[in-house]
Amino acid sequence: MKGINKCVVEILEPKDENIERVLVFFKPESRAVKGGKQRQAAEKYVGGLVSWHASPVPSWLSLRTAALAGLAAAALTALWFIF
C-alpha cells in the first residue's frame, strides 16, 4: 500500500476455523503504537470479534419451544394450587 503510514499486525491463526488470517491496521497516533503494544491490542480486538454461523435450529423454533415450556410451567403451577 503506497503512501500508507500505519502499523499493521497480521494474526495468522485466529480462533475461528473459518478465518485464515486477520489484518489489523493501527493509526500511527494510537496509544497501542506509541506504547509498543500493537500485538496485544490486535489480539484483544480479534478475540472480541463475533463469528456469524448459521444456527442448526431456526430462531423461531427455539422461541416457540421456550414459549411452550413457559406455558407448561404456568399450567403445572396453576394445577398445583387448584388441587
Side-chain angles (χ1 to χ4, degrees):
M1 289 183 232
K2 190 174 181 179
I4 301 291
N5 185 17
K6 293 188 179 188
C7 177
V8 180
V9 174
E10 179 181 28
I11 298 176
L12 293 175
E13 296 181 19
K15 295 178 183 173
D16 188 319
E17 69 276 359
N18 297 311
I19 297 174
E20 180 179 332
R21 70 182 69 196
V22 178
L23 295 175
V24 180
F25 293 83
F26 287 93
K27 295 178 181 178
E29 66 274 5
S30 72
R31 286 184 288 174
V33 172
K34 290 180 180 178
K37 304 220 181 234
Q38 301 96 313
R39 168 64 66 184
Q40 293 91 341
E43 288 175 354
K44 181 179 177 185
Y45 176 75
V46 170
L49 294 176
V50 176
S51 177
W52 299 99
H53 295 284
S55 175
V57 178
S59 61
W60 63 267
L61 181 61
S62 59
L63 289 174
R64 183 175 149 193
T65 304
L68 289 175
L71 287 173
L76 287 174
T77 303
L79 289 173
W80 175 266
F81 284 109
I82 291 173
F83 295 107

